[in-house]
Amino acid sequence: MAGSRATPTPPADGLLPVFLTRGKAPAAALLAREGTSTRYAEAGPGIARSDHFRAGSITKTFLATVVLQLASEHRLSLSDPVERHLPGLVRGAGNDGRALTLRSLLTHTSGLYDYTRDTEGLVPVTAVEAVRIALTHPPADRGRFAYSNTNYVLLGRVVEQVTGRSYASEAERRIIAPLGLTGTSFPGSRTSLPSPHGRAYDTDGTDVTTLDPRTAGAAGELVTTLADLDRFYAALLSGELLTSHRLREMLDTRTAHGLYGMGLFPVTLPCGVTVWGHNGRIAGSYVRTAATVDGRRVLTFRVNTTALADPGLEPALLAAEFCPRSS
């Protein structure tokens, strides 16, 4: 009688140890989802499936979803000038909120300077302080894609002005609670991570597990889990959170010249498959979620350090997961 055949390791899972060697990450993990099935893999010590971690700019997808829901409710329009909701705030060094729309903030085509270049993502600031830092610099070419955290800090303020509640409260009410994302939160000024969690390290090995998330605010303060991110992106892309019209707007990259939609960006892999999602980088954590456009297949991976030493590992992992394999 023939012996049983070992189940082969999926190609993406097999790449995780390389994130430690070539990527110089202390540990790495991924959670893949297809329909209702999930697959978890990890490499390195001190990392677990249930860990809470900081998700950085993945916060932007949550915030963009809230803004698009408000647009569906006719509480704002994407063509509104920023000035309509935040009168007098965006003025200085050639910047003018009267000439910028909410759409330009969502698509990173406002030309506003990224305030984190000056704070280096380490200095806690209020939203108004972040905007004031940005406004000491002249704008880049308006209408050209230029990623700037300032755009989403302003959108957080817009949500607050329109609803009378914080962007965190609106995201909790509209996304986190309905989807049952029990591991996801907006920590505000809380510097500790919820349990369970591992340690987080900067690229020089410094332990940065304790961090004031006000360094990122509406542009990147989110704390979450692998399972919650897979659930969120699957729900978003399958149409659970937005009308079909608003989801098409979110995926429309023409304003940003093919580089960015609204809180989402596409990556076309070598095999021709295009995946949608976002990445997030904050001190001690790098996270990436990618999904098929229908949300049926999703992959989230994370490392417990600020950046991968070899940036080519991320596209290699996505190709290993999403490109068809011959049997």
Side-chain angles (χ1 to χ4, degrees), residues 25-26 52-60 114-116 119-125 147 149 153 167 185-193 199-224 229 278-288 301-308 314:
H52 296 82
F53 53 84
R54 303 187 193 282
S57 286
I58 281 178
T59 309
K60 293 180 174 68
D114 186 350
Y115 77 94
T116 64
T119 64
E120 297 182 347
L122 299 174
V123 181
V125 292
Y147 190 90
N149 288 287
V153 168
Y167 63 83
S185 62
F186 289 81
S189 60
R190 188 182 72 234
T191 60
S192 61
L193 286 168
R199 309 306 298 176
Y201 303 96
D202 211 344
T203 49
D204 63 1
T206 303
D207 190 313
V208 289
T209 308
T210 299
L211 178 75
D212 191 326
R214 289 175 298 175
T215 60
E221 73 163 279
L222 195 75
V223 168
T224 188
L229 288 183
H278 214 287
N279 60 349
R281 178 182 288 109
I282 195 168
S285 182
Y286 181 77
V287 189
R288 174 74 159 99
F301 79 82
R302 60 173 288 243
V303 292
N304 59 347
T305 189
T306 308
L308 287 166
E314 179 177 319

Side-chain angles (χ1 to χ4, degrees), residues 113-171:
Y113 181 82
D114 186 350
Y115 77 94
T116 64
R117 295 182 196 171
D118 289 5
T119 64
E120 297 182 347
L122 299 174
V123 181
V125 292
T126 66
V128 171
E129 288 169 341
V131 173
R132 285 176 179 163
I133 291 169
L135 295 179
T136 63
H137 298 269
D141 294 339
R142 191 174 302 138
R144 181 174 61 84
F145 175 77
Y147 190 90
S148 173
N149 288 287
T150 307
N151 291 317
Y152 277 73
V153 168
L154 283 167
L155 287 168
R157 292 279 294 174
V158 169
V159 170
E160 291 168 1
Q161 290 298 311
V162 169
T163 67
R165 291 181 290 270
S166 70
Y167 63 83
S169 296
E170 286 298 303

Side-chain angles (χ1 to χ4, degrees), residues 225-245:
T225 65
L226 292 171
D228 278 7
L229 288 183
D230 279 2
R231 168 73 177 120
F232 167 63
Y233 281 94
L236 175 63
L237 289 163
S238 66
E240 287 186 47
L241 296 172
L242 295 173
T243 65
S244 58
H245 168 65

